[in-house]
C-alpha cells in the first residue's frame, strides 16, 4: 500500500460535501416534509469473506468520531447557493449550522472470529445508525467510504496509486471518443480519497483532450459535491431508493408510495428540476403506474423570499410567500375534483429515468413501450448506473439510442476502485458494501428492485410487500452481488467486470 510522506495525503472524511449530491437533495426534501421522522440504517457486506482487522476497526472508529467536528464552510455554502440553485434558502440555513453527532447516532462494533488479542485478528464489523432522518441521512456515503479505506489501508495493502490517473484518463478518453455522456459515481466504494482525486484528474484531462479533438462524448460531472467544487465540474444526481423506502415505511402505503414520493419531490424542487426518476425501489412496473399520473397543482413550490425553489419560483402557480412549516404535504392536501384537469403527468415533466437493477435491455424496451403507450414521443433520457464498465456503456448506449432514448452513464467502482496486486498482477477486488435505510418511524423499510439479488431489508416485510403489489419475481444472470467484481481467488481482470 502507498504511504504518504509526512502525512501529505488526506485520510478519512474532511468535508460534509464529500458525499453524493442526492444525499443533500433528499435531506432538503426530508427537512421540508419529514423533519421529525425517526429512522435506522443497516450496514451489509455483500463480500462477507473480505473482513476488517482489529486495527482497521480502531482506525475506522476514530475516523467516525471525527465526523462530528466537520461543518460546512462559508465557501462551501456560497458554492451551493450559486451552483445548486434548487437548494432552498431554508435548507441552506439549516445546513449552515448542521453537525453530525456520531457519539449519539452511530454504533460500530467488531465481532472477531478467532480472538488472539492481536491487531491482526479479523472479524465482522457492525454499523448501526439511528436518529432523526434529517440528522442521519448524510452518514451513508462517508461510512461506506471509510469502511473501504480501512480495508485497503490495513488488510489488503498489496497495491499502489501508480497509473491510477492514467487509467482514468484512458477510460474517459475511450468513452468520450465513442460518444458517451457519463459522470463519475464512485464515492461510496472508492479505495480512498486520493484515489478519487486521481480519477477526477484523469477524467478532466480526458475531457479537455476530447474538446480539442472534437470527440462526441462529454464528462457531465461527478456525484461527489466536494470534488465537483474542487475540479469545477457539475455536481450530478437526483434521488435514491431511500426516499421512496422511507415514505413507504412511514405511511405503510406501498401501493401509492411511488406517487407520494414523486409529489413530495416536485413539491420541493418544482417541475422539471432534478428530473431523473429512479424506478426500481418496488419494481419498475409498479413505479410506472404512478409515473403516468397527473401532477397535482399543490406540489408546485410557492414563490417569494422563502420559496423552496428560488430558481423556479417565478414559474410557480402560487403567489404567496411560503415557509417550510406552512407547506402542506400531499398526504394532508387531498386532490379536489377537477384539480387534475390539463395537468401534465410525472412522465411528461421528468426528463427521464435511471436504471439501477435488472436487465438493462429489458428496461429499455419496457420504457419505450411505456412512453409510447401514453403518447410521449419526445426523446427522454435513461441514466444507466448499475455495475458499469466500458464495454457495457457502449452496449447499453447502442440499445438505448436504437430505441430513441438519450443514454447517459453513472460510472462508479470501475473508476475509483480498479487496482491490481503489486505482487502478482492479479485483480485487487473491491468491497461490495451498502448502507440502507432499515426502518422509519418504527416500521421496517425495504427495497424490492428489479432483481432478487438486490432485495433489501426485513425478509417478512419484503415478502408482504411483494404480495401487496403483485410483484413478479425477477432474476438476472448478471445480478450476482457476492462476485460482482470478481473474487480474490481467481484474480479475474476488471475489464470484464462490473462496478
Amino acid at each position: 500500500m502507498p504511504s504518504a510522506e509526512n502525512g501529505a495525503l488526506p485520510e478519512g472524511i474532511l468535508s460534509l460535501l464529500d458525499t453524493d449530491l442526492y444525499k443533500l437533495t433528499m435531506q432538503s426534501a426530508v427537512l421540508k416534509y419529514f423533519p421529525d421522522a425517526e429512522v435506522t440504517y443497516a450496514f451489509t457486506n455483500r463480500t462477507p469473506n473480505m473482513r476488517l482487522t482489529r486495527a482497521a476497526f480502531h482506525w475506522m472508529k476514530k475516523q467516525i468520531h471525527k465526523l462530528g467536528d466537520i461543518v460546512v464552510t462559508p465557501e462551501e455554502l456560497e458554492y451551493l447557493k450559486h451552483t445548486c440553485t434548487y437548494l432552498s434558502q431554508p435548507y441552506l440555513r439549516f445546513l449552515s449550522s448542521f453537525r453530525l453527532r456520531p457519539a449519539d447516532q452511530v454504533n460500530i462494533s467488531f465481532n472477531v472470529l478467532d480472538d488472539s488479542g492481536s491487531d491482526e485478528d479479523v472479524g465482522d464489523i457492525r454499523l448501526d445508525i439511528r436518529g432523526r432522518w434529517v440528522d442521519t441521512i448524510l452518514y451513508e456515503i462517508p461510512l461506506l467510504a471509510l469502511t473501504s479505506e480501512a480495508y485497503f489501508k490495513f488488510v489488503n495493502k498489496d497495491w499502489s496509486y501508480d497509473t491510477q490517473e492514467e487509467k482514468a484518463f484512458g477510460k474517459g478518453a475511450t468513452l468520450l471518443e465513442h460518444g458517451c455522456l457519463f459522470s463519475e459515481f464512485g464515492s461510496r466504494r472508492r479505495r480512498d480519497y486520493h484515489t478519487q482525486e486521481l480519477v477526477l484528474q484523469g477524467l478532466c484531462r480526458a475531457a479537455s483532450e476530447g474538446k480539442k479533438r472534437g470527440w462526441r462524448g462529454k464528462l457531465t460531472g461527478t456525484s461527489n459535491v466536494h470534488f465537483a467544487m474542487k475540479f469545477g465540474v457539475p455536481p450530478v444526481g437526483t434521488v435514491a431508493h431511500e426516499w421512496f423506502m422511507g415514505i413507504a415505511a412511514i405511511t405503510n402505503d406501498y401501493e401509492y408510495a411511488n406517487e407520494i414520493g414523486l409529489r413530495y419531490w416536485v413539491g420541493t424542487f418544482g417541475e422539471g428540476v432534478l428530473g431523473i426518476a429512479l424506478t426500481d425501489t418496488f419494481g419498475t412496473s409498479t413505479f410506472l403506474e404512478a409515473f403516468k399520473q397527473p401532477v397535482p397543482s399543490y406540489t408546485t413550490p410557492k414563490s417569494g423570499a422563502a420559496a423552496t425553489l428560488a430558481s423556479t419560483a417565478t414559474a410557480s402557480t402560487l403567489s404567496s410567500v411560503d415557509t417550510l412549516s406552512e407547506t402542506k404535504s400531499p398526504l394532508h392536501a387531498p386532490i379536489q375534483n377537477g384539480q387534475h384537469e390539463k395537468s401534465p403527468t410525472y412522465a411528461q415533466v421528468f426528463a427521464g429515468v435511471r436504471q439501477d437493477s435488472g436487465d438493462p435491455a429489458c428496461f429499455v424496451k419496457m420504457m419505450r413501450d411505456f412512453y409510447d403507450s401514453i403518447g410521449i414521443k419526445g426523446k427522454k433520457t435513461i441514466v444507466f448506473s448499475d455495475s458499469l464498465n466500458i464495454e457495457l456503456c457502449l452496449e447499453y448506449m447502442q440499445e438505448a439510442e436504437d430505441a430513441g432514448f438519450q443514454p447517459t452513464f453513472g460510472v462508479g467502482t470501475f473508476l475509483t476502485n480498479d487496482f491490481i496486486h503489486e505482487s502478482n498482477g492479479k485483480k485487487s477486488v473491491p468491497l461490495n458494501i451498502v448502507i440502507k435505510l432499515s426502518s422509519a418511524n418504527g416500521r421496517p423499510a425495504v427495497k424490492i428492485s428489479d432483481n432478487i439479488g438486490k432485495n433489501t431489508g426485513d425478509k417478512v416485510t419484503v415478502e408482504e410487500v411483494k404480495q401487496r403489489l403483485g410483484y413478479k419475481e425477477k432474476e438476472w444472470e448478471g445480478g450476482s452481488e457476492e462476485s460482482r467484481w470478481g473474487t480474490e481467488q481467481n484474480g479475474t481482470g476488471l475489464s470484464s467486470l462490473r462496478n
Side-chain angles (χ1 to χ4, degrees), residues 16 27 35 38 63-71 94 97-107 128-139 143:
L16 281 179
Q27 188 181 41
E38 295 284 332
Q63 295 300 321
I64 291 173
H65 177 75
K66 290 181 178 180
L67 294 177
D69 299 328
I70 304 173
V71 296
F94 168 83
S97 60
F98 178 79
R99 280 181 183 260
L100 295 169
R101 302 191 310 277
D104 302 323
Q105 297 162 337
V106 181
N107 180 57
D128 293 303
I129 303 104
R130 61 183 62 244
R132 291 196 311 169
W133 196 1
V134 73
D135 295 329
T136 56
I137 195 170
L138 297 189
Y139 276 115
L143 292 182

Side-chain angles (χ1 to χ4, degrees), residues 12-40:
I13 304 297
L14 304 176
S15 168
L16 281 179
L17 300 195
D18 187 4
T19 191
D20 285 340
L21 176 64
Y22 66 26
K23 301 303 292 191
L24 301 184
T25 56
M26 288 191 297
Q27 188 181 41
S28 178
V30 169
L31 176 65
K32 179 171 183 175
Y33 288 121
F34 298 103
D36 299 318
E38 295 284 332
V39 301
T40 62

Side-chain angles (χ1 to χ4, degrees), residues 40-45 51-53 57 60-61 64 105-112 123-130 143 147 434-435 438:
T40 62
Y41 293 84
F43 168 84
T44 301
N45 182 359
R51 297 181 172 91
L52 268 61
T53 62
F57 163 72
M60 190 174 165
K61 190 173 183 179
I64 291 173
Q105 297 162 337
V106 181
N107 180 57
I108 180 172
S109 57
F110 182 66
N111 182 22
V112 65
D124 298 310
I125 65 163
R126 176 169 178 168
L127 282 166
D128 293 303
I129 303 104
R130 61 183 62 244
L143 292 182
T147 304
V434 295
I435 291 175
S438 54

